[in-house]
Coordinates of all heavy atoms in Angstrom, one line a residue:
Chain A
R3 N 1.9 5.3 0.1 CA 1.5 6.4 1.0 C 0.3 7.1 0.5 O -0.6 7.5 1.3 CB 2.6 7.5 1.0 CG 3.9 7.0 1.7 CD 3.8 7.3 3.2 NE 5.0 6.8 3.8 CZ 5.4 7.2 5.0 NH1 4.8 8.1 5.6 NH2 6.5 6.7 5.5
A7 N -3.2 7.6 2.5 CA -3.8 8.9 2.7 C -5.3 8.8 2.3 O -6.2 9.3 2.9 CB -3.1 10.0 2.0
Q8 N -5.5 8.1 1.1 CA -6.8 8.0 0.6 C -7.7 7.3 1.6 O -8.8 7.7 1.9 CB -6.7 7.2 -0.7 CG -8.0 7.0 -1.4 CD -8.6 8.4 -1.8 OE1 -7.9 9.3 -2.1 NE2 -9.9 8.5 -1.7
T10 N -7.3 7.0 4.8 CA -7.5 7.9 5.9 C -8.7 8.8 5.6 O -9.5 9.1 6.4 CB -6.3 8.7 6.2 OG1 -5.2 7.9 6.1 CG2 -6.4 9.3 7.6
G11 N -8.7 9.3 4.3 CA -9.8 10.2 3.9 C -11.1 9.5 4.0 O -12.1 10.1 4.5
R13 N -11.8 7.2 6.1 CA -12.2 7.0 7.5 C -12.8 8.3 8.1 O -13.5 8.3 9.0 CB -10.9 6.7 8.3 CG -11.1 5.9 9.5 CD -9.8 5.5 10.1 NE -9.0 6.6 10.3 CZ -7.6 6.5 10.3 NH1 -7.1 5.3 10.1 NH2 -6.9 7.5 10.5
T14 N -12.4 9.4 7.5 CA -12.9 10.7 8.0 C -14.4 10.6 8.1 O -15.0 11.1 9.0 CB -12.5 11.8 7.0 OG1 -11.2 11.7 6.7 CG2 -12.9 13.1 7.6
R17 N -15.7 8.6 11.0 CA -15.4 9.3 12.3 C -16.4 10.5 12.4 O -16.9 10.8 13.5 CB -14.0 9.9 12.3 CG -13.0 8.8 12.3 CD -12.8 8.3 13.7 NE -11.8 7.3 13.7 CZ -11.0 7.0 14.7 NH1 -11.1 7.7 15.8 NH2 -10.1 6.1 14.7
R21 N -18.9 11.4 15.5 CA -18.9 12.7 16.2 C -20.3 13.3 16.1 O -20.7 14.0 17.1 CB -17.9 13.6 15.7 CG -16.6 13.4 16.4 CD -15.7 14.6 16.1 NE -14.5 14.1 15.3 CZ -14.1 14.5 14.2 NH1 -14.8 15.5 13.6 NH2 -13.1 14.0 13.6
R25 N -22.7 14.7 19.1 CA -22.9 16.1 19.2 C -24.1 16.5 18.5 O -24.2 17.6 17.9 CB -21.7 16.8 18.5 CG -20.4 16.5 19.1 CD -19.3 17.3 18.3 NE -18.2 17.6 19.2 CZ -18.2 18.7 19.8 NH1 -19.1 19.6 19.7 NH2 -17.2 19.0 20.6
D27 N -26.6 17.7 19.6 CA -27.1 19.0 20.1 C -26.6 20.2 19.3 O -27.2 21.2 19.2 CB -26.6 19.2 21.6 CG -25.1 18.9 21.7 OD1 -24.5 18.3 20.8 OD2 -24.6 19.3 22.7
Q28 N -25.4 20.0 18.6 CA -24.9 21.1 17.9 C -25.3 21.1 16.4 O -25.1 22.0 15.7 CB -23.4 21.0 17.9 CG -22.8 21.6 19.2 CD -21.3 21.6 19.0 OE1 -20.8 22.2 18.2 NE2 -20.7 20.8 19.9
R29 N -25.7 19.9 15.9 CA -25.9 19.8 14.5 C -27.4 19.5 14.3 O -28.0 18.8 15.1 CB -25.1 18.7 14.0 CG -23.7 18.7 14.5 CD -22.8 18.9 13.3 NE -21.4 19.1 13.7 CZ -20.4 18.6 13.1 NH1 -20.6 17.9 12.0 NH2 -19.2 18.9 13.5
R37 N -19.1 15.3 5.0 CA -18.5 15.8 3.8 C -19.2 15.3 2.6 O -19.2 14.1 2.2 CB -17.1 15.3 3.7 CG -16.2 16.1 4.7 CD -14.8 16.1 4.1 NE -14.1 14.8 4.3 CZ -13.5 14.2 3.3 NH1 -13.6 14.7 2.1 NH2 -12.9 13.1 3.5
P40 N -18.7 20.6 -1.7 CA -19.0 22.0 -1.4 C -20.2 22.6 -2.1 O -20.8 23.5 -1.7 CB -17.7 22.7 -1.8 CG -17.2 21.9 -2.9 CD -17.7 20.5 -2.7
Y45 N -21.3 21.6 4.0 CA -20.2 21.7 5.0 C -20.7 22.5 6.2 O -20.3 22.3 7.3 CB -19.1 22.5 4.5 CG -18.2 21.9 3.5 CD1 -17.3 22.6 2.8 CD2 -18.3 20.5 3.3 CE1 -16.5 22.0 1.9 CE2 -17.5 19.9 2.3 CZ -16.6 20.6 1.6 OH -15.8 20.0 0.7
A46 N -21.6 23.4 5.9 CA -22.0 24.4 7.0 C -22.8 23.8 8.1 O -23.6 22.9 7.9 CB -22.8 25.5 6.3
R47 N -22.4 24.1 9.3 CA -23.3 23.9 10.4 C -24.4 24.8 10.2 O -24.4 25.7 9.5 CB -22.6 24.2 11.8 CG -21.3 23.4 11.9 CD -20.6 23.8 13.2 NE -19.3 23.1 13.3 CZ -18.1 23.8 13.1 NH1 -18.0 25.0 12.9 NH2 -17.0 23.1 13.2
P49 N -26.1 27.4 12.0 CA -26.2 28.2 13.2 C -27.4 29.1 13.2 O -28.0 29.4 12.2 CB -25.0 29.2 13.0 CG -24.8 29.2 11.5 CD -25.3 28.0 10.9
W53 N -26.8 33.4 17.5 CA -25.5 33.1 18.0 C -24.5 34.1 17.8 O -23.5 34.2 18.4 CB -25.0 31.7 17.4 CG -25.9 30.6 17.8 CD1 -26.9 30.6 18.7 CD2 -25.7 29.2 17.4 NE1 -27.5 29.3 18.8 CE2 -26.8 28.5 18.0 CE3 -24.9 28.6 16.5 CZ2 -26.9 27.1 17.8 CZ3 -25.0 27.2 16.3 CH2 -26.0 26.5 16.9
G56 N -23.2 36.3 20.5 CA -22.2 35.7 21.5 C -20.9 36.6 21.5 O -20.4 36.8 22.6
L57 N -20.5 37.1 20.3 CA -19.3 37.9 20.3 C -19.5 39.2 21.0 O -18.6 39.7 21.7 CB -18.9 38.1 18.8 CG -17.5 38.8 18.6 CD1 -16.4 38.1 19.3 CD2 -17.2 39.0 17.2
S60 N -19.3 38.6 24.6 CA -18.0 38.3 25.0 C -17.2 39.6 25.0 O -16.3 39.8 25.9 CB -17.4 37.3 24.0 OG -16.0 37.3 24.0
E61 N -17.4 40.4 24.0 CA -16.7 41.7 24.0 C -17.0 42.6 25.2 O -16.1 43.2 25.8 CB -17.0 42.4 22.7 CG -16.2 43.7 22.4 CD -14.8 43.5 22.2 OE1 -14.4 42.4 21.7 OE2 -14.0 44.4 22.6
T64 N -15.4 41.0 28.3 CA -14.0 41.2 28.2 C -13.6 42.7 28.5 O -12.7 42.9 29.3 CB -13.4 40.8 26.9 OG1 -13.9 39.5 26.6 CG2 -11.9 40.7 26.9
R67 N -14.3 43.7 32.2 CA -13.6 43.0 33.2 C -12.2 43.4 33.3 O -11.4 43.0 34.2 CB -13.6 41.5 33.0 CG -14.8 40.8 33.6 CD -14.9 39.3 33.3 NE -13.7 38.6 33.7 CZ -13.5 37.3 33.5 NH1 -14.4 36.6 32.9 NH2 -12.4 36.7 33.9
R68 N -11.8 44.2 32.3 CA -10.4 44.6 32.3 C -10.1 45.6 33.4 O -10.8 46.5 33.7 CB -10.0 45.3 31.0 CG -9.9 44.3 29.9 CD -9.2 44.9 28.7 NE -7.7 44.9 28.9 CZ -6.9 45.1 27.9 NH1 -7.3 45.3 26.7 NH2 -5.6 45.0 28.1
E147 N -6.0 44.5 19.9 CA -6.1 43.0 19.5 C -5.0 42.7 18.6 O -4.4 41.6 18.7 CB -7.4 42.7 18.9 CG -8.7 43.0 19.7 CD -9.1 41.9 20.6 OE1 -8.4 40.9 20.7 OE2 -10.2 42.0 21.2
A150 N -1.7 42.4 20.5 CA -1.6 41.1 21.3 C -1.6 39.9 20.4 O -1.3 38.8 20.9 CB -2.8 41.0 22.3
G151 N -1.9 40.1 19.1 CA -1.9 39.0 18.2 C -3.2 38.2 18.2 O -3.5 37.3 17.4
T152 N -4.1 38.6 19.1 CA -5.4 37.9 19.3 C -6.3 38.3 18.1 O -7.2 37.5 17.8 CB -6.1 38.4 20.5 OG1 -6.0 39.8 20.7 CG2 -5.5 37.7 21.8
R154 N -5.7 38.0 14.9 CA -5.6 36.9 13.8 C -6.5 35.7 14.3 O -7.1 35.1 13.4 CB -4.2 36.5 13.5 CG -3.4 35.9 14.6 CD -2.0 35.4 14.1 NE -1.2 34.8 15.1 CZ -0.4 35.5 15.9 NH1 -0.4 36.8 15.9 NH2 0.3 34.8 16.8
Y155 N -6.5 35.4 15.6 CA -7.3 34.3 16.0 C -8.8 34.6 16.0 O -9.6 33.7 15.7 CB -6.8 33.8 17.4 CG -5.4 33.1 17.2 CD1 -4.3 33.7 17.8 CD2 -5.3 31.9 16.5 CE1 -3.1 33.0 17.6 CE2 -4.1 31.3 16.4 CZ -3.0 31.9 16.9 OH -1.8 31.3 16.8
L156 N -9.1 35.8 16.3 CA -10.5 36.2 16.2 C -11.0 36.1 14.7 O -12.0 35.6 14.4 CB -10.8 37.6 16.7 CG -10.6 37.8 18.2 CD1 -10.8 39.3 18.5 CD2 -11.6 37.0 19.0
L157 N -10.1 36.5 13.8 CA -10.5 36.5 12.4 C -10.5 35.1 11.8 O -11.3 34.8 10.9 CB -9.5 37.3 11.6 CG -9.6 38.8 11.9 CD1 -8.6 39.6 10.9 CD2 -11.0 39.4 11.7
V158 N -9.7 34.1 12.3 CA -9.8 32.8 11.8 C -10.9 32.0 12.5 O -11.1 30.8 12.1 CB -8.5 32.0 11.8 CG1 -7.4 32.7 11.0 CG2 -8.0 31.8 13.2
A159 N -11.5 32.5 13.6 CA -12.4 31.8 14.4 C -13.7 31.3 13.6 O -14.1 30.2 13.9 CB -12.9 32.6 15.6
P160 N -14.3 32.0 12.7 CA -14.0 33.3 12.1 C -15.0 34.4 12.6 O -16.2 34.2 12.5 CB -14.2 33.1 10.6 CG -15.3 32.1 10.6 CD -15.3 31.3 11.9
A161 N -14.5 35.4 13.3 CA -15.4 36.5 13.8 C -16.0 37.2 12.6 O -17.1 37.7 12.7 CB -14.6 37.4 14.7
R163 N -14.8 40.2 9.6 CA -14.2 41.6 9.9 C -15.3 42.6 10.2 O -15.2 43.4 11.1 CB -13.4 42.0 8.7 CG -12.2 41.1 8.5 CD -11.2 41.6 7.5 NE -10.1 40.7 7.3 CZ -8.9 41.0 7.0 NH1 -8.6 42.3 6.8 NH2 -8.0 40.1 6.8
R165 N -18.3 42.1 11.2 CA -19.0 41.7 12.5 C -18.1 42.2 13.6 O -18.6 42.8 14.6 CB -19.2 40.2 12.5 CG -19.8 39.7 13.8 CD -20.3 38.2 13.6 NE -20.6 37.5 14.8 CZ -19.8 36.6 15.3 NH1 -18.6 36.3 14.7 NH2 -20.1 36.0 16.4
K170 N -17.1 45.9 18.1 CA -16.2 46.8 18.7 C -16.8 48.2 18.8 O -16.7 48.9 19.9 CB -14.9 46.9 17.9 CG -14.0 45.7 18.0 CD -13.3 45.6 19.4 CE -12.4 44.4 19.4 NZ -11.8 44.2 20.8
R323 N -7.8 45.4 4.9 CA -6.3 45.4 5.3 C -5.7 44.1 5.5 O -6.4 43.1 5.9 CB -6.2 46.3 6.5 CG -5.9 45.6 7.8 CD -5.7 46.6 8.9 NE -4.7 46.1 9.8 CZ -4.7 46.4 11.1 NH1 -5.6 47.1 11.7 NH2 -3.7 45.9 11.9
D324 N -4.4 44.0 5.2 CA -3.7 42.8 5.5 C -3.4 42.7 7.0 O -2.9 43.6 7.6 CB -2.3 42.8 4.8 CG -2.4 42.3 3.3 OD1 -3.6 42.0 2.9 OD2 -1.4 42.3 2.7
V325 N -3.8 41.5 7.6 CA -3.5 41.3 9.0 C -2.3 40.4 9.1 O -2.4 39.2 8.9 CB -4.7 40.7 9.8 CG1 -4.4 40.4 11.2 CG2 -5.9 41.7 9.7
T326 N -1.1 41.0 9.4 CA 0.1 40.3 9.4 C 0.7 40.1 10.8 O 1.8 39.8 10.9 CB 1.2 40.9 8.5 OG1 1.3 42.3 8.9 CG2 0.7 40.9 7.0
Chain B
P11 N -12.7 18.4 -4.7 CA -12.3 19.0 -3.4 C -12.3 17.9 -2.3 O -11.8 18.1 -1.2 CB -13.2 20.1 -3.1 CG -14.5 19.8 -3.9 CD -14.0 19.0 -5.1
G12 N -13.0 16.8 -2.5 CA -13.0 15.7 -1.5 C -11.6 15.1 -1.3 O -11.3 14.6 -0.3
K23 N 2.5 36.5 -3.2 CA 2.4 37.6 -2.3 C 3.6 38.5 -2.3 O 4.7 38.0 -2.1 CB 2.1 37.1 -0.9 CG 1.9 38.3 0.1 CD 0.6 39.1 -0.2 CE 0.5 40.3 0.7 NZ -0.7 41.0 0.5
A41 N -6.5 15.1 1.1 CA -7.4 14.9 2.3 C -6.8 13.8 3.1 O -6.4 12.8 2.6 CB -8.8 14.7 1.9
G42 N -6.8 13.9 4.4 CA -6.4 12.8 5.3 C -4.9 12.8 5.5 O -4.4 12.0 6.3
R60 N -1.1 32.7 6.0 CA -1.9 33.9 6.1 C -2.9 34.0 4.9 O -4.0 34.4 5.1 CB -1.0 35.1 6.2 CG -0.3 35.3 7.5 CD 0.5 36.6 7.5 NE 1.3 36.8 8.7 CZ 2.5 37.3 8.7 NH1 3.1 37.6 7.5 NH2 3.2 37.4 9.8
G64 N -7.1 33.7 4.9 CA -7.8 34.9 4.6 C -7.3 36.1 5.4 O -8.0 37.1 5.5
L65 N -6.2 36.0 6.0 CA -5.7 37.2 6.8 C -5.1 38.2 5.9 O -5.1 39.4 6.2 CB -4.7 36.7 7.8 CG -5.2 35.9 9.0 CD1 -4.1 35.3 9.8 CD2 -6.2 36.6 9.8
I66 N -4.5 37.8 4.8 CA -3.9 38.8 3.8 C -4.4 38.4 2.4 O -4.7 37.2 2.2 CB -2.4 38.8 3.9 CG1 -1.8 37.5 3.5 CG2 -1.9 39.2 5.2 CD1 -0.3 37.5 3.4
E67 N -4.4 39.3 1.6 CA -4.9 39.2 0.2 C -3.7 38.8 -0.7 O -2.7 39.4 -0.6 CB -5.5 40.5 -0.3 CG -6.3 40.4 -1.5 CD -7.8 40.3 -1.3 OE1 -8.3 40.8 -0.2 OE2 -8.5 39.8 -2.1
L76 N -10.7 23.6 1.4 CA -11.9 22.8 1.5 C -12.8 23.0 0.2 O -14.0 23.1 0.3 CB -12.7 23.1 2.7 CG -12.0 22.9 4.1 CD1 -12.9 23.2 5.2 CD2 -11.5 21.5 4.2
L88 N -13.8 28.7 7.3 CA -13.0 28.8 8.5 C -13.6 28.1 9.7 O -12.9 27.6 10.6 CB -12.6 30.2 8.9 CG -11.7 30.8 7.9 CD1 -11.4 32.3 8.2 CD2 -10.4 30.1 7.8
P89 N -15.0 28.0 9.9 CA -15.5 27.2 11.0 C -15.0 25.7 11.0 O -15.0 25.1 12.0 CB -17.0 27.3 10.8 CG -17.2 28.5 10.1 CD -16.0 28.7 9.2
H90 N -14.6 25.2 9.8 CA -14.1 23.8 9.7 C -12.6 23.7 9.8 O -12.0 22.7 9.6 CB -14.6 23.2 8.4 CG -16.0 23.2 8.3 ND1 -16.8 22.3 8.9 CD2 -16.9 24.1 7.7 CE1 -18.1 22.6 8.6 NE2 -18.1 23.7 7.9
A93 N -6.6 26.7 13.6 CA -5.3 27.2 13.1 C -4.5 27.7 14.3 O -5.0 28.3 15.3 CB -5.5 28.3 12.1
L94 N -3.2 27.5 14.2 CA -2.2 28.0 15.1 C -1.2 28.7 14.2 O -0.4 28.1 13.5 CB -1.6 26.9 15.9 CG -0.8 27.3 17.2 CD1 -1.7 28.0 18.2 CD2 -0.3 26.0 17.9
I95 N -1.2 30.1 14.2 CA -0.3 30.8 13.3 C 0.7 31.6 14.0 O 0.3 32.5 14.9 CB -1.2 31.7 12.4 CG1 -2.4 31.0 11.8 CG2 -0.4 32.4 11.4 CD1 -3.5 31.8 11.3
E96 N 2.0 31.4 13.8 CA 3.0 32.2 14.4 C 2.9 32.2 15.9 O 2.9 33.3 16.5 CB 3.0 33.6 13.8 CG 3.7 33.7 12.5 CD 4.4 35.0 12.3 OE1 3.8 36.0 12.3 OE2 5.7 34.9 12.2
G97 N 2.7 31.1 16.5 CA 2.6 31.1 18.0 C 1.3 31.5 18.5 O 0.5 32.1 17.8
A99 N -1.6 33.4 20.7 CA -1.9 34.8 21.2 C -3.1 34.7 22.1 O -4.1 34.2 21.8 CB -2.2 35.7 20.0
Y101 N -5.3 36.4 25.7 CA -5.6 37.5 26.6 C -5.0 37.2 27.9 O -5.5 36.4 28.7 CB -7.1 37.7 26.7 CG -7.8 38.0 25.4 CD1 -8.2 37.0 24.5 CD2 -8.0 39.3 24.9 CE1 -8.8 37.2 23.3 CE2 -8.5 39.6 23.7 CZ -8.9 38.5 22.9 OH -9.5 38.8 21.7
F103 N -4.9 38.7 30.7 CA -5.7 39.1 31.9 C -6.9 38.1 32.0 O -7.6 38.2 33.0 CB -6.2 40.5 31.8 CG -7.0 40.9 30.6 CD1 -8.4 40.8 30.6 CD2 -6.3 41.3 29.4 CE1 -9.1 41.1 29.4 CE2 -7.1 41.6 28.3 CZ -8.4 41.5 28.3
D108 N -11.4 31.2 30.1 CA -12.1 32.3 29.5 C -11.5 32.7 28.2 O -12.2 33.2 27.3 CB -12.0 33.5 30.5 CG -12.9 33.2 31.7 OD1 -13.6 32.3 31.7 OD2 -12.8 34.0 32.7
R112 N -13.8 33.0 24.9 CA -13.8 34.2 24.0 C -13.6 33.7 22.5 O -14.4 34.2 21.7 CB -12.6 35.0 24.4 CG -12.2 36.1 23.4 CD -12.6 37.5 23.9 NE -12.2 38.5 23.0 CZ -13.0 39.4 22.5 NH1 -14.3 39.4 22.8 NH2 -12.6 40.4 21.8
Y113 N -12.7 32.8 22.3 CA -12.5 32.4 20.9 C -13.7 31.6 20.4 O -14.0 31.7 19.2 CB -11.2 31.6 20.7 CG -9.9 32.5 20.8 CD1 -8.9 32.2 21.6 CD2 -9.9 33.7 20.0 CE1 -7.7 33.0 21.7 CE2 -8.8 34.5 20.1 CZ -7.7 34.2 20.9 OH -6.6 35.0 21.0
A115 N -16.7 32.1 21.3 CA -17.8 33.0 21.0 C -17.6 33.8 19.7 O -18.6 34.3 19.1 CB -17.9 34.0 22.2
A116 N -16.3 33.9 19.3 CA -16.1 34.6 18.0 C -16.6 33.8 16.8 O -16.7 34.4 15.7 CB -14.6 34.8 17.9
D117 N -16.8 32.5 16.9 CA -17.3 31.7 15.8 C -18.8 31.7 15.8 O -19.4 31.2 16.7 CB -16.7 30.2 16.1 CG -17.2 29.3 15.0 OD1 -18.0 29.7 14.1 OD2 -16.9 28.1 15.0
P118 N -19.3 32.3 14.8 CA -20.8 32.5 14.8 C -21.5 31.1 14.6 O -22.8 31.1 14.7 CB -21.1 33.4 13.6 CG -19.9 33.3 12.7 CD -18.7 32.9 13.6
T119 N -20.8 30.1 14.2 CA -21.5 28.8 14.1 C -21.4 27.9 15.3 O -21.7 26.7 15.3 CB -20.8 28.0 12.9 OG1 -19.5 27.6 13.3 CG2 -20.8 28.8 11.6
A120 N -20.8 28.5 16.4 CA -20.7 27.7 17.7 C -21.9 28.0 18.6 O -22.2 29.1 18.9 CB -19.4 28.2 18.4
D121 N -22.6 26.9 18.9 CA -23.8 27.0 19.7 C -23.4 27.4 21.2 O -22.7 26.7 21.8 CB -24.5 25.6 19.8 CG -25.8 25.7 20.4 OD1 -26.1 26.7 21.1 OD2 -26.6 24.8 20.2
P122 N -23.9 28.6 21.6 CA -23.6 29.0 23.0 C -24.0 28.1 24.1 O -23.4 28.0 25.2 CB -24.3 30.4 23.1 CG -25.2 30.5 22.0 CD -24.8 29.5 20.9
R123 N -25.1 27.3 23.8 CA -25.5 26.4 24.8 C -24.6 25.3 25.2 O -24.5 24.7 26.2 CB -26.9 25.8 24.4 CG -28.0 26.7 24.4 CD -29.2 26.2 23.6 NE -28.8 26.0 22.2 CZ -29.7 25.6 21.3 NH1 -30.9 25.3 21.6 NH2 -29.3 25.5 20.0
T124 N -23.7 24.9 24.2 CA -22.7 23.8 24.4 C -21.3 24.4 24.6 O -20.4 23.6 24.5 CB -22.8 22.8 23.2 OG1 -22.7 23.6 22.0 CG2 -24.1 22.0 23.3
R128 N -17.8 22.3 25.2 CA -16.7 22.3 24.2 C -15.4 22.8 24.8 O -14.3 22.2 24.6 CB -17.1 23.3 23.1 CG -17.6 22.6 21.9 CD -17.6 23.6 20.7 NE -18.2 24.9 21.0 CZ -19.5 25.2 21.0 NH1 -20.4 24.2 20.8 NH2 -19.9 26.4 21.3
Q165 N -13.8 22.8 17.9 CA -14.8 22.1 17.1 C -14.1 20.9 16.5 O -12.9 21.0 16.3 CB -15.3 23.1 16.0 CG -16.0 24.3 16.5 CD -17.5 24.1 16.8 OE1 -18.0 23.0 16.6 NE2 -18.2 25.1 17.2
P166 N -14.9 19.9 16.1 CA -14.3 18.9 15.2 C -13.9 19.6 13.9 O -14.8 20.3 13.3 CB -15.4 17.9 15.0 CG -16.6 18.4 15.7 CD -16.3 19.7 16.3
R168 N -12.1 19.8 10.0 CA -11.7 19.0 8.8 C -10.2 19.3 8.4 O -9.6 18.5 7.8 CB -12.6 19.4 7.6 CG -14.1 19.0 7.9 CD -14.9 19.0 6.7 NE -14.2 18.5 5.5 CZ -14.3 19.0 4.3 NH1 -15.0 20.0 4.1 NH2 -13.6 18.4 3.4
A196 N -5.3 10.9 13.4 CA -5.9 9.6 13.4 C -7.4 9.7 13.4 O -8.2 8.8 13.0 CB -5.5 8.8 14.7
D197 N -7.9 10.9 13.9 CA -9.4 11.2 13.9 C -9.8 11.5 12.5 O -11.0 11.8 12.3 CB -9.7 12.3 14.8 CG -9.8 11.9 16.2 OD1 -9.7 10.7 16.5 OD2 -9.9 12.8 17.1
G198 N -8.9 11.6 11.5 CA -9.3 11.9 10.1 C -9.2 13.3 9.7 O -9.5 13.7 8.6
H217 N 3.0 13.4 3.9 CA 3.3 14.2 2.7 C 4.1 15.4 3.1 O 4.1 15.9 4.2 CB 2.0 14.6 2.0 CG 1.3 13.5 1.4 ND1 0.6 12.6 2.2 CD2 1.1 13.1 0.1 CE1 0.0 11.7 1.4 NE2 0.3 12.0 0.1
A231 N 4.5 12.6 -1.5 CA 4.6 11.7 -0.3 C 6.0 11.7 0.2 O 6.9 11.6 -0.5 CB 4.1 10.3 -0.6
A233 N 7.7 9.3 1.6 CA 8.4 8.1 1.2 C 8.9 8.3 -0.2 O 10.1 7.9 -0.5 CB 7.5 6.9 1.3

Side-chain angles (χ1 to χ4, degrees):
Chain A
R3 292 271 180 160
Q8 183 60 37
T10 319
R13 205 174 55 208
T14 312
R17 294 279 180 150
R21 270 194 246 127
R25 302 180 149 267
D27 49 342
Q28 278 184 62
R29 312 242 174 146
R37 285 207 287 126
Y45 286 169
R47 304 177 182 109
W53 295 357
L57 184 57
S60 162
E61 184 65 32
T64 308
R67 270 178 59 182
R68 284 196 84 161
E147 301 272 8
T152 46
R154 65 175 181 274
Y155 288 112
L156 291 176
L157 293 183
V158 300
R163 296 191 183 209
R165 175 168 168 254
K170 290 286 184 183
R323 109 176 215 211
D324 276 1
V325 174
T326 56
Chain B
K23 180 66 186 183
R60 285 180 186 141
L65 291 174
I66 63 178
E67 191 100 25
L76 303 179
L88 292 178
H90 301 277
L94 195 58
I95 307 160
E96 279 215 299
Y101 298 87
F103 56 93
D108 291 348
R112 167 108 174 127
Y113 285 132
D117 177 358
T119 69
D121 187 344
R123 289 164 297 184
T124 48
R128 261 195 312 278
Q165 299 271 2
R168 295 192 44 217
D197 281 353
H217 293 69

